Amino acid sequence: MFSTAGLFNKIGCPEAAQCQLPSCLFSHSISRKENVIDESSVSTTAASTLNVDPENPESRPKKRRRINTDNGQVGTPSKVGGFDASTTYSSTRLIDASKSKSIVRECLPKSTTRAISPPPLRKESRPAETRRALIGLSTIPHDGVLLVNGRTTRECRPRESLNPRMLKKPPASHVIRLQLLKLLHEQMIRLNKEVQTSTDSAKDALELSEAELVTAALDEEFRSARDDAKVYTNVLKLRIVALKRMKLEEWKKERLKQIAQDFPQIIPPEVKKPFTTLESGLSSIEELLLVSKLITAQDGLGKHGYVTSPPTEAEVEQARKGVETSQGWEQCDRCKSRFQVFPGRRAEDGALTSGGSCTYHFGKPRRPAKEKSDTGHKDTVHSCCGQQLGTPGCVTAESHVFKVSENKRLALIMPFKRTIKTGPIMPESAVCFDCEMGYTTLGMELIRLTATAWPDGKELLDVLVRPLGEVLDLNSRFSGVWPKHFTDAVQYTESSPPAEPSNETGEQERRLSMVNSPGEARELLFAHLTTTTPLIGHALENDLNSARIIHPTIIDTVVLYPHPRGLPIRHGLKMLVKKHLNIDIQTGGAQGHDSKEDARAAGELVRLKVKETWKTMQAEGWTVSQGEFSPPLPGGLPSAQGIRVPESGAL
């Protein structure tokens, strides 16, 4: 080993008494506060303390070593090599153990001894009750899955910095995007400060925190960059100018709209207009006669999920063996991860599922609409949050869920049943039918069944259904069924009143009735059906399978209004009603759907087809008179022998 040059022997060791090096380059005879030391005096002092000769290096004490005690633990004896173990030795001086703590404290920087200041207080998110009271609303309908672990969807998102989000094909350079983003953020801060200084009683609810301002600016910039790539800079510049000119009242209106989206349980959706029926120009009896022309042929629909015949006993037994072999392992219907289900709860901890919470996107993937000026490719995004495919989910649920689609496994849980009651050739009425499903330990089960008469739309049945398995998730965002509905439900009786609106606003305040099983709900529906009764609905295979019903006479709006590419691709009911009837349905947002509204909407789509069918028949020369349809003759005169429509009650 080469000898040291002594360049650091006048600098105090940073470790001081805690140094463990046998030959340290720094000096241990001075503190860190001293810059110059007298090495000879330190050496003499140390030598006199130890009674050794400073000129003889061999007489200096060697570094102590830890030795094992008699009980097998590492310890330090009272005397080691003739020296007192109550003192601490270094390579150049001896330090008394009682003074070592004060010496170490002097050697440490001042920042280590300074009192630690508490972290800044973060603005707590106001609960739904407080925000609603500040806005001026009195009551809250109920709690639901919109709040995930006490937080809203926006609060579940991670905190972000004011930096443009990444895109595969950004519409502008990062410098330009950042500049526009900062200008947008500045205007939002200005308007937010005006809210803070205003005298409005709801200012605390309208005010945004720093993190929410950043998120709002990032969301708006990202939407423009993704959807308006060709005119990105123009769109953002116009938005910045609009914010500069925006008054406080306009900003409050925008904030209220945003709160209505983020907190649908605080601000209810606008009251919908009464559902207006379509005029076909025919009487109810004549409409029932023509609706028989729209019966859906079920041949070939089995491959698309429609069950036309119940599974055999051998198939059900095969499904039973498969379930026993799988030992409860399923694939999550939302995040596609594997997890285990414990019907009846796990004995160790009472859990229903394994795998913890589920993070997923509840919106379907969609491709942004292209404009004439767009020539490039647009990435598919999730409709719920606008994020690209493959990004982490935007919503967190308490547990994973699964769905059973195989007919034989559905029959294992609850057998299918055919409509047995026979009826006349010409039905007296048709039935519009819709079901809502939720997730349980047995898959997706029926939790609400609604039936209305067609064509008058009168309610026939609307009940909550107690599922067979333990509930994992009521799927309230889509089903519209919340825990409060089951809590406030009353037992169904034949005298239960219909769930019609009981106030002027149209909100349903009456408690729903509940039946004890899906089988009981099915029998209540069978009381209104015969084998010839047309059963009307949208995507009826889902509703029929959830109730385990096989009905020969169905009218499915999916088949009446097919997608250009055919099944299994289909249009949604909301889109069909808006396109053909110009009526908005399913406007509740996160509050979910209304099964009665969906059933009546499907009936109106069928009425529209009846109207179109009659218009075509009129163009061909058909006439109707006193309940009779008369076909045209070759000479243009109506036939003397027409189609007799039965009178009401004659069947």
Side-chain angles (χ1 to χ4, degrees), residues 575-603:
M575 189 278 292
L576 291 176
V577 173
K578 181 63 177 177
K579 177 181 178 180
H580 297 284
L581 303 177
N582 196 25
I583 298 176
D584 294 317
I585 64 171
Q586 301 176 0
T587 58
Q591 290 292 344
H593 302 172
D594 183 359
S595 56
K596 188 187 299 184
E597 179 187 57
D598 292 350
R600 288 174 173 169

Side-chain angles (χ1 to χ4, degrees), residues 417-438:
K417 189 174 182 179
R418 294 180 182 272
T419 307
I420 301 176
K421 184 178 178 182
T422 58
I425 298 177
M426 295 305 303
E428 295 181 354
S429 67
V431 175
C432 299
F433 169 61
D434 188 66
C435 293
E436 302 295 348
M437 285 75 77

Side-chain angles (χ1 to χ4, degrees), residues 42 46 74 103 156 193 201 208 261 358 502 541 618-619 626:
V42 173
V74 178
I103 295 176
C156 291
K193 288 181 179 179
S201 59
L208 289 171
Q261 295 178 6
C358 175
S502 58
E541 78 280 6
Q618 283 182 310
Q626 298 180 354

Side-chain angles (χ1 to χ4, degrees), residues 622-649:
W622 284 76
T623 59
V624 59
S625 177
Q626 298 180 354
E628 290 187 359
F629 285 91
S630 301
L633 291 178
L637 296 175
S639 173
Q641 196 174 28
I643 302 175
R644 178 69 178 173
V645 179
E647 298 293 340
S648 177

